[in-house]
Amino acid sequence: MTQNLHPAAVSAAARSSSTANLAPLQAVIFDWAGTLVDFGSLAPTQIFVEAFATFGITITLAQARGPMGLSKWDHIHQLLQDPSIARQWQAQFGSAPEDKDVDAIYARFMPMQIAKVGEFSAPIAGAVELLQWLRAQGLKVGSCSGYPREVLNQLLPQALAAGIAPDHVVAGDELAAGGRPGPFMALANVLALGITDVRACVKVDDTVPGIVEGRNAGMWTVGLSLSGNEVGYSLAEYAKARAAEVDARVARAEAKLKAAGAHYVVRSVADLPAVLAQIATDMRQGKTPA
């Protein structure tokens, strides 16, 4: 099918919304993989499969995607709770998986992810133009990720070179309070950016834990279906997919993200200008994220 995710899409939306009144919104806080970069959220998914394989454990891409949005240690821990994966571990090592086993897989995962993340640093179409538009509207741009800081340190310079440069970045392993689905990374952005009201923030994410994070932080939430983990196409797969198949996958993703509490769900960040204008209108009418 024809690729619709093109910078021109957000440019047109931005032009049509150039005089939009976004007050009283103050900030938009983005996830990274599947949201700003890495269409389909492919980098972490494939590495989980490869890391488990080094221990003789077979997991599918669908299983690897299941806990996406959590910090990577928590993600691995959650995968080991899957009955089929736990049975494999029991058969392979003679005991049920424990925290020390999560540590071992995490130690194997990290260098593999660091080595590969740069290959998946391309901005999602429209993301660069969207960040420029947000700043032109006077909004601040925050971000957070399930990626550990070591991985982000590899990703950020390449993303910056491509035009993706949020005002603040929080990694999944650097807050003592923990990561998603808790509100802590989103709230760390609030503090760093000097936001005066969490209800004036919008959290944008392609995963269930990321949406729950935003809701727990008291923010508006926008889920992304097509570009992210829930649909999981690579750009090549998307270009070849039949429209009916795409629509079916998107519908399932939208339902899942809405069930998690997303106030709005759109296909990608290219669709955000109109949604942000609607949220601002809602706020001026006295509506709140709650």
Side-chain angles (χ1 to χ4, degrees):
M1 67 176 296
T2 302
Q3 170 60 259
N4 294 322
L5 295 177
H6 189 276
V10 74
S11 296
R15 285 195 298 271
S16 65
S17 304
S18 59
T19 59
N21 179 7
L22 295 186
L25 284 177
Q26 297 183 35
V28 182
I29 300 170
F30 293 92
D31 176 50
W32 277 84
T35 298
L36 289 176
V37 300
D38 186 10
F39 183 92
S41 194
L42 302 177
T45 312
Q46 185 59 43
I47 302 305
F48 282 122
V49 173
E50 295 174 8
F52 272 80
T54 66
F55 289 85
I57 307 299
T58 300
I59 69 172
T60 66
L61 284 173
Q63 286 174 315
R65 286 189 180 281
M68 199 67 73
L70 300 178
S71 69
K72 300 315 175 194
W73 192 97
D74 289 336
H75 190 131
I76 293 167
H77 182 271
Q78 190 69 31
L79 286 174
L80 286 173
Q81 309 312 304
D82 181 292
S84 68
I85 297 173
R87 283 195 296 271
Q88 289 187 66
W89 193 273
Q90 178 81 40
Q92 185 82 350
F93 298 104
S95 62
E98 303 175 11
D99 283 358
K100 64 180 178 61
D101 302 314
V102 181
D103 292 338
I105 299 172
Y106 183 82
R108 193 74 55 84
F109 167 87
M110 279 294 290
M112 298 170 70
Q113 183 71 92
I114 290 169
K116 288 283 189 178
V117 71
E119 298 177 16
F120 299 89
S121 61
I124 287 171
V128 173
E129 292 79 7
L130 175 69
L131 298 194
Q132 293 170 347
W133 180 78
L134 289 173
R135 290 192 170 106
Q137 304 303 308
L139 271 65
K140 295 180 179 179
V141 179
S143 69
C144 53
S145 175
Y147 279 141
R149 176 55 65 174
E150 285 182 88
V151 175
L152 281 179
N153 285 344
Q154 299 298 314
L155 173 61
L156 293 177
Q158 298 186 59
L160 174 61
I164 301 293
D167 301 319
H168 191 63
V169 182
V170 181
D173 65 342
E174 61 188 3
L175 296 179
R180 298 167 183 152
F184 313 110
M185 291 196 294
L187 294 177
N189 275 276
V190 169
L191 294 173
L193 297 174
I195 304 304
T196 59
D197 188 346
V198 295
R199 296 170 298 180
C201 296
V202 181
K203 176 69 201 305
V204 182
D205 207 296
D206 64 299
T207 68
V208 166
I211 294 299
V212 178
E213 170 194 23
R215 291 303 303 254
N216 285 339
M219 300 176 178
W220 297 90
T221 56
V222 179
L224 304 180
S225 57
L226 177 60
S227 71
N229 178 69
E230 293 301 332
V231 168
Y233 282 126
S234 68
L235 281 172
E237 290 169 337
Y238 174 50
K240 296 176 183 177
R242 294 180 297 108
E245 176 190 315
V246 173
D247 290 344
R249 286 201 187 193
V250 167
R252 288 193 294 270
E254 287 179 350
K256 189 170 182 179
L257 292 165
K258 286 179 179 177
H263 295 93
Y264 295 90
V265 178
V266 294
R267 290 194 166 202
S268 82
V269 291
D271 302 314
L272 273 179
V275 173
L276 295 177
Q278 181 60 54
I279 291 173
T281 298
D282 291 343
M283 293 178 70
R284 291 193 296 273
Q285 294 174 350
K287 298 178 183 178
T288 69

Tab-separated table of all heavy atoms in Angstrom, residues 255-288:
chain	number	residue	atom	x	y	z
A	255	ALA	N	-7.953	-0.150	20.063
A	255	ALA	CA	-8.785	-0.668	21.152
A	255	ALA	C	-7.945	-0.932	22.401
A	255	ALA	O	-8.373	-0.629	23.527
A	255	ALA	CB	-9.486	-1.943	20.703
A	256	LYS	N	-6.759	-1.471	22.207
A	256	LYS	CA	-5.893	-1.785	23.346
A	256	LYS	C	-5.411	-0.511	24.037
A	256	LYS	O	-5.401	-0.427	25.272
A	256	LYS	CB	-4.709	-2.618	22.872
A	256	LYS	CG	-3.851	-3.184	23.991
A	256	LYS	CD	-2.844	-4.184	23.443
A	256	LYS	CE	-2.021	-4.797	24.567
A	256	LYS	NZ	-1.046	-5.797	24.027
A	257	LEU	N	-5.017	0.479	23.257
A	257	LEU	CA	-4.527	1.729	23.835
A	257	LEU	C	-5.653	2.508	24.520
A	257	LEU	O	-5.454	3.103	25.581
A	257	LEU	CB	-3.857	2.573	22.751
A	257	LEU	CG	-2.542	1.992	22.203
A	257	LEU	CD1	-2.149	2.685	20.898
A	257	LEU	CD2	-1.421	2.094	23.227
A	258	LYS	N	-6.837	2.491	23.935
A	258	LYS	CA	-7.977	3.160	24.571
A	258	LYS	C	-8.358	2.451	25.870
A	258	LYS	O	-8.694	3.098	26.866
A	258	LYS	CB	-9.159	3.213	23.617
A	258	LYS	CG	-8.996	4.235	22.508
A	258	LYS	CD	-10.189	4.248	21.565
A	258	LYS	CE	-10.017	5.290	20.465
A	258	LYS	NZ	-11.144	5.273	19.498
A	259	ALA	N	-8.298	1.107	25.867
A	259	ALA	CA	-8.609	0.362	27.086
A	259	ALA	C	-7.613	0.681	28.193
A	259	ALA	O	-7.955	0.612	29.384
A	259	ALA	CB	-8.613	-1.138	26.789
A	260	ALA	N	-6.383	1.039	27.808
A	260	ALA	CA	-5.366	1.417	28.798
A	260	ALA	C	-5.587	2.812	29.345
A	260	ALA	O	-4.945	3.203	30.322
A	260	ALA	CB	-3.975	1.322	28.173
A	261	GLY	N	-6.483	3.577	28.708
A	261	GLY	CA	-6.797	4.906	29.217
A	261	GLY	C	-6.439	6.058	28.298
A	261	GLY	O	-6.566	7.224	28.704
A	262	ALA	N	-5.987	5.777	27.071
A	262	ALA	CA	-5.635	6.868	26.159
A	262	ALA	C	-6.856	7.744	25.883
A	262	ALA	O	-7.928	7.247	25.546
A	262	ALA	CB	-5.083	6.315	24.850
A	263	HIS	N	-6.682	9.055	26.021
A	263	HIS	CA	-7.770	9.979	25.718
A	263	HIS	C	-8.036	10.038	24.211
A	263	HIS	O	-9.177	10.175	23.779
A	263	HIS	CB	-7.429	11.383	26.220
A	263	HIS	CG	-7.322	11.480	27.712
A	263	HIS	ND1	-6.128	11.336	28.389
A	263	HIS	CD2	-8.278	11.688	28.659
A	263	HIS	CE1	-6.344	11.480	29.687
A	263	HIS	NE2	-7.628	11.694	29.882
A	264	TYR	N	-6.962	9.950	23.441
A	264	TYR	CA	-7.045	9.935	21.985
A	264	TYR	C	-6.059	8.905	21.458
A	264	TYR	O	-5.036	8.633	22.090
A	264	TYR	CB	-6.694	11.306	21.381
A	264	TYR	CG	-7.659	12.415	21.733
A	264	TYR	CD1	-7.464	13.208	22.865
A	264	TYR	CD2	-8.762	12.673	20.926
A	264	TYR	CE1	-8.356	14.223	23.192
A	264	TYR	CE2	-9.653	13.697	21.242
A	264	TYR	CZ	-9.445	14.466	22.377
A	264	TYR	OH	-10.325	15.472	22.696
A	265	VAL	N	-6.352	8.335	20.300
A	265	VAL	CA	-5.411	7.454	19.607
A	265	VAL	C	-5.350	7.895	18.149
A	265	VAL	O	-6.393	8.060	17.498
A	265	VAL	CB	-5.824	5.970	19.691
A	265	VAL	CG1	-4.832	5.096	18.909
A	265	VAL	CG2	-5.910	5.500	21.137
A	266	VAL	N	-4.125	8.101	17.649
A	266	VAL	CA	-3.910	8.438	16.245
A	266	VAL	C	-2.854	7.494	15.688
A	266	VAL	O	-2.245	6.717	16.421
A	266	VAL	CB	-3.470	9.905	16.074
A	266	VAL	CG1	-4.583	10.846	16.495
A	266	VAL	CG2	-2.194	10.193	16.865
A	267	ARG	N	-2.641	7.556	14.403
A	267	ARG	CA	-1.740	6.584	13.780
A	267	ARG	C	-0.270	6.887	14.031
A	267	ARG	O	0.529	5.970	14.185
A	267	ARG	CB	-2.023	6.489	12.277
A	267	ARG	CG	-3.362	5.826	11.975
A	267	ARG	CD	-3.491	5.418	10.521
A	267	ARG	NE	-4.640	4.508	10.362
A	267	ARG	CZ	-4.779	3.664	9.352
A	267	ARG	NH1	-3.851	3.612	8.401
A	267	ARG	NH2	-5.823	2.874	9.275
A	268	SER	N	0.108	8.153	14.050
A	268	SER	CA	1.508	8.505	14.268
A	268	SER	C	1.596	9.947	14.738
A	268	SER	O	0.590	10.668	14.777
A	268	SER	CB	2.331	8.335	12.980
A	268	SER	OG	2.184	9.469	12.133
A	269	VAL	N	2.814	10.375	15.071
A	269	VAL	CA	2.996	11.762	15.508
A	269	VAL	C	2.616	12.769	14.441
A	269	VAL	O	2.335	13.932	14.756
A	269	VAL	CB	4.453	12.012	15.969
A	269	VAL	CG1	4.748	11.281	17.261
A	269	VAL	CG2	5.449	11.637	14.874
A	270	ALA	N	2.579	12.348	13.187
A	270	ALA	CA	2.162	13.267	12.118
A	270	ALA	C	0.737	13.755	12.314
A	270	ALA	O	0.358	14.802	11.779
A	270	ALA	CB	2.298	12.579	10.754
A	271	ASP	N	-0.066	13.023	13.092
A	271	ASP	CA	-1.462	13.380	13.308
A	271	ASP	C	-1.683	14.220	14.561
A	271	ASP	O	-2.828	14.539	14.893
A	271	ASP	CB	-2.307	12.105	13.432
A	271	ASP	CG	-2.206	11.217	12.215
A	271	ASP	OD1	-2.301	11.746	11.096
A	271	ASP	OD2	-2.025	9.994	12.374
A	272	LEU	N	-0.625	14.579	15.275
A	272	LEU	CA	-0.793	15.214	16.582
A	272	LEU	C	-1.302	16.653	16.564
A	272	LEU	O	-2.015	17.056	17.488
A	272	LEU	CB	0.522	15.175	17.365
A	272	LEU	CG	0.772	13.919	18.196
A	272	LEU	CD1	2.118	14.011	18.881
A	272	LEU	CD2	-0.331	13.710	19.227
A	273	PRO	N	-0.947	17.510	15.593
A	273	PRO	CA	-1.372	18.913	15.699
A	273	PRO	C	-2.862	19.094	15.934
A	273	PRO	O	-3.270	19.852	16.819
A	273	PRO	CB	-0.914	19.514	14.365
A	273	PRO	CG	0.311	18.729	14.018
A	273	PRO	CD	-0.013	17.315	14.444
A	274	ALA	N	-3.678	18.391	15.184
A	274	ALA	CA	-5.125	18.553	15.345
A	274	ALA	C	-5.597	18.045	16.701
A	274	ALA	O	-6.504	18.623	17.315
A	274	ALA	CB	-5.860	17.827	14.218
A	275	VAL	N	-4.979	16.955	17.181
A	275	VAL	CA	-5.362	16.402	18.479
A	275	VAL	C	-4.994	17.369	19.601
A	275	VAL	O	-5.768	17.576	20.539
A	275	VAL	CB	-4.693	15.029	18.702
A	275	VAL	CG1	-4.956	14.529	20.114
A	275	VAL	CG2	-5.211	14.025	17.683
A	276	LEU	N	-3.818	17.952	19.520
A	276	LEU	CA	-3.403	18.914	20.549
A	276	LEU	C	-4.323	20.133	20.553
A	276	LEU	O	-4.666	20.663	21.623
A	276	LEU	CB	-1.953	19.346	20.314
A	276	LEU	CG	-0.912	18.237	20.464
A	276	LEU	CD1	0.476	18.770	20.138
A	276	LEU	CD2	-0.935	17.628	21.861
A	277	ALA	N	-4.720	20.572	19.379
A	277	ALA	CA	-5.660	21.698	19.313
A	277	ALA	C	-6.984	21.327	19.977
A	277	ALA	O	-7.597	22.144	20.680
A	277	ALA	CB	-5.880	22.117	17.861
A	278	GLN	N	-7.436	20.079	19.784
A	278	GLN	CA	-8.683	19.643	20.403
A	278	GLN	C	-8.546	19.559	21.919
A	278	GLN	O	-9.454	19.955	22.662
A	278	GLN	CB	-9.097	18.275	19.848
A	278	GLN	CG	-10.409	17.746	20.422
A	278	GLN	CD	-11.576	18.680	20.149
A	278	GLN	OE1	-11.836	19.043	18.993
A	278	GLN	NE2	-12.282	19.098	21.197
A	279	ILE	N	-7.402	19.044	22.396
A	279	ILE	CA	-7.178	18.974	23.846
A	279	ILE	C	-7.182	20.376	24.445
A	279	ILE	O	-7.768	20.612	25.512
A	279	ILE	CB	-5.857	18.246	24.147
A	279	ILE	CG1	-5.977	16.760	23.798
A	279	ILE	CG2	-5.461	18.410	25.620
A	279	ILE	CD1	-4.675	15.982	23.899
A	280	ALA	N	-6.531	21.310	23.780
A	280	ALA	CA	-6.511	22.686	24.280
A	280	ALA	C	-7.926	23.261	24.344
A	280	ALA	O	-8.295	23.950	25.305
A	280	ALA	CB	-5.612	23.549	23.398
A	281	THR	N	-8.723	22.973	23.322
A	281	THR	CA	-10.118	23.418	23.335
A	281	THR	C	-10.871	22.792	24.505
A	281	THR	O	-11.636	23.470	25.210
A	281	THR	CB	-10.809	23.057	22.011
A	281	THR	OG1	-10.153	23.726	20.934
A	281	THR	CG2	-12.277	23.455	22.028
A	282	ASP	N	-10.659	21.491	24.707
A	282	ASP	CA	-11.294	20.802	25.842
A	282	ASP	C	-10.936	21.487	27.163
A	282	ASP	O	-11.797	21.686	28.028
A	282	ASP	CB	-10.848	19.338	25.888
A	282	ASP	CG	-11.386	18.503	24.737
A	282	ASP	OD1	-12.345	18.947	24.073
A	282	ASP	OD2	-10.845	17.408	24.514
A	283	MET	N	-9.653	21.829	27.310
A	283	MET	CA	-9.208	22.447	28.557
A	283	MET	C	-9.854	23.813	28.769
A	283	MET	O	-10.257	24.163	29.881
A	283	MET	CB	-7.679	22.571	28.565
A	283	MET	CG	-6.951	21.236	28.605
A	283	MET	SD	-5.166	21.449	28.551
A	283	MET	CE	-4.853	22.162	30.175
A	284	ARG	N	-9.965	24.585	27.701
A	284	ARG	CA	-10.566	25.910	27.828
A	284	ARG	C	-12.057	25.808	28.166
A	284	ARG	O	-12.638	26.757	28.709
A	284	ARG	CB	-10.358	26.714	26.541
A	284	ARG	CG	-8.900	27.102	26.308
A	284	ARG	CD	-8.780	28.145	25.228
A	284	ARG	NE	-9.230	27.660	23.924
A	284	ARG	CZ	-8.469	27.023	23.054
A	284	ARG	NH1	-7.201	26.773	23.341
A	284	ARG	NH2	-8.960	26.640	21.883
A	285	GLN	N	-12.640	24.650	27.894
A	285	GLN	CA	-14.040	24.417	28.251
A	285	GLN	C	-14.184	23.803	29.636
A	285	GLN	O	-15.285	23.436	30.025
A	285	GLN	CB	-14.684	23.507	27.196
A	285	GLN	CG	-14.801	24.145	25.814
A	285	GLN	CD	-15.302	23.181	24.749
A	285	GLN	OE1	-15.399	21.980	24.995
A	285	GLN	NE2	-15.599	23.715	23.587
A	286	GLY	N	-13.057	23.702	30.341
A	286	GLY	CA	-13.091	23.229	31.718
A	286	GLY	C	-12.864	21.751	31.894
A	286	GLY	O	-12.935	21.236	33.021
A	287	LYS	N	-12.562	21.027	30.810
A	287	LYS	CA	-12.314	19.595	30.931
A	287	LYS	C	-10.905	19.343	31.447
A	287	LYS	O	-9.993	20.143	31.208
A	287	LYS	CB	-12.523	18.917	29.588
A	287	LYS	CG	-13.951	19.039	29.064
A	287	LYS	CD	-14.095	18.394	27.698
A	287	LYS	CE	-15.498	18.588	27.143
A	287	LYS	NZ	-15.655	18.000	25.782
A	288	THR	N	-10.714	18.219	32.126
A	288	THR	CA	-9.419	17.826	32.661
A	288	THR	C	-9.093	16.405	32.236
A	288	THR	O	-9.996	15.664	31.798
A	288	THR	CB	-9.390	17.905	34.203
A	288	THR	OG1	-10.240	16.861	34.724
A	288	THR	CG2	-9.884	19.258	34.693
